[in-house]
Amino acid sequence: MTRVALIDDHESVRLGLEAALARTESTEVVFSGANVAAYLTWRQAAVASPADVVVLDLTLGDGTTVSENVDRVVRDGSSVIIHSVADRPAAVREALAAGAAGIVSKSSPTHEVLGAIGTVARGELLDNVEWASAVEGDREFASAQLSTREREVLRLYAAGLPLKAVAERLGVAYSTAKENITRVRVKYVEVGRPAPTKVDLLRRAMEDGILQDAPDGAARHD
């Protein structure tokens, strides 16, 4: 059972997602509220463990920033999906850099949102059009060269390991591994070689000599 928290200052959006999630047997909505502070206060008062996945609106009406909200939730122990109209790519990039696992548009069908929650609950990043759109065209977000750590994360992830296993192998936090993959993708966009899916990352890793041969069954982990 995946424990989900919904944070959005539009009650109608929350109610719609709650209703959709209630129809599934694999998810449980443990919190629904208008801001991150309310969620963390609930957690403390209820002595509840962190939600597995927090579905977070990009912009809340309490004056907080997206980077601040994502960082607080990730540090608290949850994975974050940004649920947004996706018309502010700079803010979406901030969310991804702060550790969000991906973005789902509010115009997406409900089944895609549910699928995204399942993907992130398994420890994977989202590979979708919204993600690619968020980083496309940003030429100042990162340099064109991958750092040593980014190459290590890319090599293991492209070889087929789930991101949680990559983090464990390298002895880093899961949020650190997620941020490294995010930056790798942004850097490939920077040089005109976008890699929005895991299979694309495998191709880039092979093209750049980071991974010499395609591992057996690697594409099945996409």
Side-chain angles (χ1 to χ4, degrees):
M1 180 71 72
T2 299
R3 301 171 66 254
V4 180
L6 306 175
I7 301 178
D8 195 306
D9 55 1
H10 293 89
E11 185 179 20
S12 59
V13 173
R14 298 201 312 269
L15 291 175
L17 284 178
E18 285 181 54
L21 290 167
R23 293 193 294 269
T24 73
E25 297 180 354
S26 59
T27 57
E28 175 190 9
V29 176
V30 296
F31 174 86
S32 178
N35 54 59
V36 171
Y39 165 67
L40 296 177
T41 298
W42 166 80
R43 275 250 300 113
Q44 184 175 18
V47 195
S49 57
D52 298 309
V53 179
V54 172
V55 180
L56 175 68
D57 190 12
L58 183 64
T59 305
L60 300 176
D62 60 352
T64 56
T65 67
V66 61
S67 296
E68 174 187 357
N69 287 328
V70 172
D71 182 68
R72 291 180 72 186
V73 174
V74 170
R75 286 179 180 274
D76 189 56
S78 301
S79 296
V80 176
I81 293 175
I82 295 297
H83 193 218
S84 168
V85 292
D87 60 352
R88 296 181 57 201
V92 172
R93 287 192 290 270
E94 288 182 29
L96 294 172
I103 172 175
V104 177
S105 172
K106 286 186 176 179
S107 63
S108 298
T110 302
H111 71 86
E112 290 187 8
V113 180
L114 299 181
I117 290 172
T119 297
V120 171
R122 293 191 299 271
E124 296 291 332
L125 293 168
L126 294 183
D127 295 320
N128 56 21
V129 173
E130 287 80 19
W131 197 103
S133 296
V135 299
E136 184 66 40
D138 187 348
R139 295 295 179 262
E140 298 179 353
F141 191 60
S143 68
Q145 300 299 316
L146 302 185
S147 69
T148 300
R149 174 49 55 81
E150 288 164 351
R151 290 172 69 89
E152 292 173 341
V153 172
L154 173 59
R155 178 176 60 82
L156 294 173
Y157 185 60
L161 286 181
L163 203 55
K164 285 185 178 179
V166 173
E168 292 171 1
R169 180 79 64 87
L170 296 177
V172 300
Y174 174 59
S175 59
T176 299
K178 285 201 300 184
E179 181 175 350
N180 274 277
I181 286 296
T182 297
R183 292 190 177 278
V184 166
R185 284 190 162 114
V186 171
K187 288 181 178 183
Y188 276 127
V189 169
E190 163 76 17
V191 294
R193 301 166 62 203
T197 71
K198 196 168 186 178
V199 171
D200 290 326
L201 284 174
L202 170 60
R203 294 192 186 102
R204 299 295 174 257
M206 294 181 65
E207 290 167 357
D208 293 348
I210 297 169
L211 198 64
Q212 298 303 319
D213 298 299
D216 293 338
R220 290 196 294 272
H221 291 276
D222 181 46

